[in-house]
Amino acid sequence: MIIIAGSSHVKLAQQLATRLKAEIVIANTKKFEDQELKIQITHDLYNKDIIILQSTSKPANDHLMELLLLTDTAKRAGARNITAIVPYFGYSRQDRPSYAYGPISASLVANLIETSGINRLITIDLHSKQAEGFFKIGVKNLDSSSLFIPLFDNQGKYVVVSPDLGGLTRAKIFAHKLQADLVIIDKSRNFNGECEMTSIIGDAKGKDCIIIDDIVDTGSTICKASRLLKDKGAKSVAACITHGVFSGDCLKKIGLAEFDNFYISDTISNSHLPNFINVIPSVDLIANAINKEVINV
Ligand code: R5P
């Protein structure tokens, strides 16, 4: 088995190669003046099982294009099977038209990935489960809750909080595993796209609250959720978030919000994160999936 490391997350690809005792290949990547990408892999891929690891994180379009070109290269070189590991699947939030006749961008990206020649996709916490249906190839959408559950002992009076209705299923699974109650925040977006939260369903008073979300981007959702929970009398507020997009002044906002604990997985490569962000490695979750999904099939 050969792991090809996309440029978005070479460290995770290296960790995975070590876990799986697989060979790692780093493609030669060059950009022309007009930013067009050129990929070269000189390694022999003929008749080999190939894993390409690439998060389609910022810059999303470059990383997506690189994934497509890496796949095409592997296919043309005669690879037997190509599995894409896309720990963070950019565009997955755009899983429905946001206005009449608007694009379903996640579906288009799924088609592009499939057309490039990938035989199987492994990803973590797609924004919505129904996005799996955009693919005809096999998709393993890994649940990240096993990364975070061990961080909580059974001493706390926990409630698991979904910061919006869209995240309810994810929070419900987490709450079930932790045998905790569920709290749901009523989130809406105003005319300018800013999120507003005024009411919660469930009781947060005196409780250790764990907010579960798939993405932190501007930080608006998680920080406003924390504020509301504290206003409702929460004893402590922790956050467990799978994908750290961290746009703009997000980290500053999180610092000011004074979370009791803030956990993020490493599906996106983020160097120089402040000390109040605890990064939880995802390599074992991915390695176990490959052992089950790819090696044993
Ligand atoms: C929304 O549906 C997602 O699950 C996240 O809550 C959202 O993407 C977070 O974005 P932001 O950090 O910009 O509020």
Side-chain angles (χ1 to χ4, degrees):
M1 178 184 288
I2 292 178
I3 298 181
I4 299 177
S7 64
S8 69
H9 213 333
V10 175
K11 186 176 162 193
L12 185 55
Q14 278 164 338
Q15 290 171 346
L16 193 63
T18 307
R19 282 284 192 292
L20 297 173
K21 297 186 173 52
E23 204 177 339
I24 186 154
V25 169
I26 298 176
N28 297 323
T29 308
K30 189 182 151 187
K31 266 193 178 169
F32 292 106
E33 268 303 297
D34 63 354
Q35 302 301 300
E36 204 177 282
L37 206 58
K38 183 179 179 182
I39 297 278
Q40 191 184 25
I41 299 176
T42 48
H43 206 89
D44 179 17
L45 305 180
Y46 184 74
N47 214 17
K48 302 267 171 52
D49 288 327
I50 303 296
I51 287 176
I52 301 174
L53 190 141
Q54 175 82 316
S55 270
T56 47
S57 51
K58 188 172 149 189
N61 296 338
D62 281 1
H63 286 153
L64 173 62
M65 194 63 203
E66 186 188 334
L67 171 64
L68 301 175
L69 291 174
L70 287 171
T71 309
D72 190 59
T73 310
K75 194 174 137 194
R76 287 173 192 278
R80 186 168 46 195
N81 257 298
I82 308 173
T83 300
I85 313 269
V86 184
Y88 171 65
F89 192 102
Y91 282 95
S92 78
R93 277 180 286 185
Q94 299 188 61
D95 56 4
R96 72 204 81 175
S98 60
Y99 59 94
Y101 309 115
I104 308 179
S105 310
S107 170
L108 176 66
V109 169
N111 288 338
L112 288 171
I113 288 182
E114 215 163 77
T115 307
S116 70
I118 282 165
N119 305 106
R120 184 186 299 264
L121 174 80
I122 298 178
T123 184
I124 303 180
D125 279 350
L126 274 179
H127 182 60
S128 59
K129 191 155 171 53
Q130 56 269 31
E132 290 172 36
F134 294 150
F135 291 89
K136 290 186 202 75
I137 54 169
V139 174
K140 187 70 190 170
N141 179 18
L142 300 170
D143 165 18
S144 72
S145 63
S146 62
L147 302 179
F148 302 110
I149 298 274
L151 302 169
F152 300 96
D153 56 30
N154 53 11
Q155 305 300 314
K157 289 182 185 158
Y158 298 118
V159 291
V160 173
V161 182
S162 177
D164 50 35
L165 277 173
L168 182 56
T169 309
R170 188 174 300 114
K172 225 169 152 180
I173 293 171
F174 203 100
H176 179 74
K177 286 189 178 172
L178 209 58
Q179 297 185 316
D181 288 336
L182 195 61
V183 163
I184 305 157
I185 294 179
D186 184 15
K187 168 175 129 181
S188 56
R189 298 250 177 212
N190 67 18
F191 186 70
N192 299 321
E194 291 153 3
C195 72
E196 289 178 347
M197 299 176 177
T198 45
S199 61
I200 69 172
I201 304 164
D203 189 10
K205 195 166 179 193
K207 301 284 172 55
D208 295 306
C209 299
I210 308 169
I211 309 172
I212 304 297
D213 209 351
D214 58 332
I215 296 170
V216 53
D217 186 350
T218 63
S220 183
T221 301
I222 198 73
C223 293
K224 285 193 175 165
S226 169
R227 180 71 268 145
L228 184 63
L229 291 167
K230 283 181 182 164
D231 289 348
K232 299 282 179 189
K235 185 176 154 211
S236 70
V237 179
C240 294
I241 307 195
T242 316
H243 311 295
V245 174
F246 297 129
S247 303
D249 64 349
C250 176
L251 288 167
K252 191 174 162 202
K253 272 190 217 153
I254 295 170
L256 291 171
E258 294 183 354
F259 285 87
D260 293 272
N261 276 303
F262 197 103
Y263 300 107
I264 191 93
S265 86
D266 63 351
T267 55
I268 295 177
S269 169
N270 280 299
S271 49
H272 312 302
L273 284 177
N275 288 339
F276 54 80
I277 308 269
N278 300 295
V279 181
I280 311 300
S282 62
V283 63
D284 287 338
L285 179 68
I286 298 171
N288 289 341
I290 293 169
N291 281 329
K292 276 195 206 133
E293 298 283 319
V294 182
I295 297 175
N296 295 332
V297 289

